[in-house]
Amino acid sequence: MLRAVIKSMRPHQWYKNFIIFICIIFSRNIFNPQMWMDLVVVFIVFCLLAGSQYMLNDVKDVEKDKLHPKKKYRPIAAGIIPAKVALVISLTIMVTSLIIAFSMGKLIGLVSFMYLANSIVYSFYFKEYAIVDAIFIAVGFVIRAIAGCVTINVTISPWLILCVFLLALVLAFGKRRHELDGDQNSRNSLSQYNITMSESMLNTSVSLLLMSYALYTVSINSAMMLTLPFAFYGIFRYVQLMHLKGIGEETELLLIDKPFIFNLILWTFLTIFVLYGGFL
């Protein structure tokens, strides 16, 4: 049962919560251990909130998932976890996570509640509508970034928050583009998309993301422009793999792509070198 519960919470999707940590890097507090400890706790809270919401979504869609070729093997759809039991577990995890968040501070609790509310509203209603579904996903990423800032009480550039929003749009439209090549009945909103439309929105989001990141680097210091080639390669590599290997639906596969990981490491080290090396 425990293994089934963990599987239902989709831990392979929790990597998205690492957005929480961008605040400590770009606010130049990377060497503050107390801030790291606080952010780790909030990261765990958001992972639990995300996992509980995934379970709640599976309870809602249990009958539909039973008819899906892949989703029918999910623990709730497969009957390993009874739907009523899953609902109780999901709500218990939600409440416990929010209690932990509010115990760390009122603002942290409110932002955590906003994230959960955004996720639930998306799952129960707005995921059925094209474009709006992608925007709600992007807002969820922005709330994660804000949660990190609130936790350690720092302010980062609005350009960086915009980059987080646009990055999420890229991932969302990339996923929709991939889904259009498969079973288009797997998601109701796919009937409101087509390949040309999704390609156009993906390309527009990529262009806006790269332009916004470029403007961000210029806004803080010209030395940050050294990171542009790595940022551009990372995004283009995602688009390349999406078309060649169909990773749009499983973005986590980027984390095992050696060129992408090597480029990410170089971008990270160069960013830290510029931010902390006396260039600003």
Side-chain angles (χ1 to χ4, degrees):
M1 176 67 76
L2 178 60
R3 183 179 299 177
V5 169
I6 294 174
K7 183 178 179 180
S8 295
M9 294 178 70
R10 315 226 234 295
H12 62 281
Q13 295 284 349
W14 295 352
Y15 70 92
K16 300 170 186 176
N17 293 322
F18 280 109
I19 291 292
I20 289 170
F21 294 101
I22 68 168
C23 60
I24 196 169
I25 297 174
F26 288 94
S27 66
R28 300 193 290 280
N29 286 296
I30 197 173
F31 300 113
N32 188 317
Q34 183 58 51
M35 288 185 175
W36 277 107
M37 292 175 63
D38 292 339
L39 287 175
V40 167
V41 174
V42 172
F43 173 81
I44 294 173
V45 166
F46 271 68
C47 288
L48 292 175
L49 287 174
S52 61
Q53 191 276 322
Y54 282 132
M55 288 190 71
L56 183 63
N57 182 71
D58 286 353
V59 171
K60 179 181 74 73
D61 294 338
V62 61
E63 296 301 325
K64 183 179 178 181
D65 288 350
K66 289 179 180 179
L67 304 176
H68 193 275
K70 291 183 179 180
K71 295 180 181 180
K72 67 181 181 180
Y73 297 110
R74 290 176 175 175
I76 298 173
I80 300 174
I81 308 176
K84 291 183 179 179
V85 174
L87 179 61
V88 172
I89 294 173
S90 173
L91 294 177
T92 300
I93 295 174
M94 285 182 186
V95 172
T96 303
S97 301
L98 288 176
I99 290 174
I100 295 173
F102 274 101
S103 71
M104 296 183 67
K106 184 178 179 179
L107 277 179
I108 299 174
L110 288 174
V111 174
S112 300
F113 178 79
M114 286 173 55
Y115 167 76
L116 182 61
N118 179 79
S119 299
I120 292 176
V121 170
Y122 163 78
S123 294
F124 276 77
Y125 187 71
F126 287 107
K127 74 175 184 179
E128 308 294 338
Y129 298 94
I131 305 175
V132 177
D133 59 344
I135 291 176
F136 264 79
I137 291 173
V139 168
F141 274 74
V142 170
I143 293 175
R144 290 178 175 100
I146 293 174
C149 294
V150 169
T151 299
I152 61 175
N153 194 27
V154 298
T155 301
I156 58 177
S157 171
W159 283 108
L160 199 59
I161 297 296
L162 177 61
C163 287
V164 170
F165 179 81
L166 292 170
L167 175 61
L169 284 185
V170 170
L171 298 178
F173 286 129
K175 183 175 183 178
R176 296 297 178 267
R177 173 63 183 85
H178 173 78
E179 289 172 334
L180 288 168
D181 289 331
D183 180 13
Q184 297 192 21
N185 294 320
S186 63
R187 188 184 300 273
N188 292 338
S189 64
L190 290 180
S191 63
Q192 304 165 46
Y193 285 102
N194 61 39
I195 292 178
T196 302
M197 172 186 172
S198 61
E199 286 278 6
S200 176
M201 291 181 175
L202 174 62
N203 294 336
T204 299
S205 299
V206 167
S207 299
L208 290 173
L209 171 59
L210 296 178
M211 181 177 67
S212 298
Y213 182 75
L215 289 172
Y216 163 69
T217 62
V218 173
S219 70
I220 58 172
N221 190 280
S222 58
M224 273 295 290
M225 294 181 69
L226 294 171
T227 66
L228 285 177
F230 302 97
F232 277 50
Y233 177 83
I235 298 301
F236 290 148
R237 179 64 176 171
Y238 164 73
V239 175
Q240 179 188 32
L241 292 176
M242 188 196 72
H243 286 290
L244 296 181
K245 297 187 178 181
I247 69 163
E249 191 170 6
E250 298 177 314
T251 314
E252 61 272 15
L253 294 179
L254 279 173
L255 302 179
I256 61 174
D257 179 66
K258 291 181 180 179
F260 180 86
I261 291 299
F262 183 66
N263 178 76
L264 179 62
I265 292 172
L266 290 177
W267 175 82
T268 302
F269 275 102
L270 185 56
T271 298
I272 292 174
F273 177 73
V274 171
L275 290 176
Y276 295 85
F279 294 96
L280 300 181

